[in-house]
Amino acid sequence: MASTKTWTAALLIIGDEILSGRTQDRNVAQVATWLNVQGIRLAEVRVVPDVLEKIVAAANALRSENDYLFTTGGIGPTHDDITVDAIAAALGVDVVIHPDARTILERYYATRGGVTDARLRMARVPDGAELIVNKVSGAPGIRHGNIFILAGVPHIAAGMLDALTGTLEGGLPVVSVTLGGMVPESEVADLLRETERAHDGIAIGSYPFFREGRVGANFVIRSESQEDAQAVADLLQASLESAGYQVVMGGV
Amino acid sequence: MASTKTWTAALLIIGDEILSGRTQDRNVAQVATWLNVQGIRLAEVRVVPDVLEKIVAAANALRSENDYLFTTGGIGPTHDDITVDAIAAALGVDVVIHPDARTILERYYATRGGVTDARLRMARVPDGAELIVNKVSGAPGIRHGNIFILAGVPHIAAGMLDALTGTLEGGLPVVSVTLGGMVPESEVADLLRETERAHDGIAIGSYPFFREGRVGANFVIRSESQEDAQAVADLLQASLESAGYQVVMGGV
């Protein structure tokens, strides 16, 4: 069960539409959840505008600090789709037409008016890249070493993640056990701190909420070991109940 | 109408719960929308874990590149709430108890069991800070120069933004006009590019979607001038319609 290395990934979201507030991001949560199943931790997210230098700088910073870099957005056929150019610039390689991507697009657009110059943009990849299958629409995702270039539309990104499942090296997934109730976290802060300190490899997060004028919190116990997480959750539940609080395993 | 300076802000989200995928972020969109009304562009977002050095590094990078830095998360009473310590470290100032914050907490907790050591943590600020009113719960937000430290719980953050409305120097808001229809963006990529190029101060974003097996897109025309945005939207609508597409002002 010993995992010596913690594998990490960063997510770079390319999108004026997120930064303008127009579009609610859905990719952070789904990439995070998927990564965790692969035994990889999402260690940082950045959202940058559709500006080449900003994407290049963020991509280089994030890939140097993590095992993997995922990007979402900016791989369509229009002028604001510059992710491939930016990643190629970050890697110092040329942009080339991938022959298999061209074939995929030719097949996909055979009954949709054929491959135009604009559509052929979606076959462009950083030189040396492989493709990631897109089961949903035509244009594939792109893998270049430890960089994964995904679509921005969440269900297309989901399909690409699905195609990558099981192909990345990782460690142990983090499991979590949640415990919650109408407990003001400020009343149990010491207990939470001491419980976390007393257990190596355990992290406890406290997430307050306000409902119907009352305060409560969920306490999330995270570990690479299901047994350890559950044991600490049981202990915390017993401590909270003996202090007079009602809490529910699973959270509220 | 001439705006010589574009004011920018960055948002730093402090939260293991976002990076684990457990919690869907709601603060990017609301901070972005609020900033735009103040005439300030959200230029970058970073999400980092509850790790002091990560918060310090991100805060320093973001505040050096932007007029304002907003943070959300990590200002509660528990051991995982380390935002104040991190921002103080980034600024190179001490953490002190703000007397007004102590008074606010004493009043708030008078009927709720009094101010404990854990609760007093929420009166800690980087030395030199002012408070941001929290109308929703007890603990205030914190302003230190061009840094704004907000709660992570979205509706508390919203109340703090509300308290800041009109107090920040900004330029002109970006207005947008949206046009959409069942138009495959790959068929109109050239038209979009040429329309954007022909109009200074205009940016056109293309956001595809898939519904009931068909592809469509919304085209968002952004500008600091409502008149310019609408004029370009009208022009684009006419061009798309003369090319045989049905589009609707306002988007679909």
Side-chain angles (χ1 to χ4, degrees), chain A residues 176-189:
Chain A
S176 67
V177 179
T178 301
L179 196 66
M182 301 313 293
V183 184
E185 58 172 1
S186 60
E187 294 181 4
V188 299

Side-chain angles (χ1 to χ4, degrees), chain A residues 16-30 32-33 36 41-50 54 58 65 76-81 108-109 112-113 116-119 121-122 136-138 153 155-156 178 184-190 192-193 196 203-210 213 215 218-220 222, chain B residues 15-26 28-30 32-33 36 41-50 54 58 65 76-81 108-109 112-113 116-119 121-122 136-137 153 155-156 176 178 184-190 192-193 196 203-210 213 215 218-220 222:
Chain A
D16 285 352
E17 72 278 21
I18 307 291
L19 292 173
S20 74
R22 178 181 176 277
T23 300
Q24 166 68 50
D25 167 73
R26 300 279 168 203
N27 283 322
V28 173
Q30 77 168 351
T33 306
N36 188 46
R41 306 273 198 292
L42 182 58
E44 182 169 347
V45 177
R46 296 193 191 181
V47 189
V48 296
D50 304 340
K54 300 279 186 189
E65 287 170 17
T78 56
H79 62 282
D80 53 341
D81 292 307
Y108 183 79
Y109 286 111
R112 293 176 174 89
T116 58
D117 283 353
R119 287 169 170 169
R121 273 180 65 81
M122 296 187 282
V136 179
S137 55
V153 177
H155 78 279
I156 302 181
T178 301
E185 58 172 1
S186 60
E187 294 181 4
V188 299
D190 292 344
L192 297 174
R193 176 186 285 106
E196 184 182 88
I204 304 180
S206 174
Y207 305 109
F209 57 78
F210 298 78
V215 299
N218 283 302
F219 310 113
V220 179
R222 296 191 186 92
Chain B
D16 286 352
E17 72 279 20
I18 307 290
L19 291 173
S20 74
R22 176 182 178 277
T23 301
Q24 167 68 50
D25 167 73
R26 301 278 168 204
V28 173
Q30 79 169 349
T33 305
N36 188 46
R41 306 274 199 292
L42 181 57
E44 183 169 347
V45 177
R46 296 192 191 182
V47 189
V48 297
D50 304 340
K54 300 279 185 188
E65 288 169 15
T78 57
H79 63 282
D80 53 341
D81 292 308
Y108 184 79
Y109 286 111
R112 294 176 174 90
T116 58
D117 282 353
R119 286 168 171 170
R121 272 180 66 79
M122 295 186 284
V136 180
S137 56
V153 177
H155 78 279
I156 302 179
S176 66
T178 302
E185 58 172 1
S186 59
E187 295 181 5
V188 299
D190 291 345
L192 297 174
R193 176 186 285 108
E196 184 181 87
I204 303 180
S206 174
Y207 306 109
F209 58 78
F210 298 78
V215 299
N218 282 303
F219 310 113
V220 179
R222 297 191 186 91

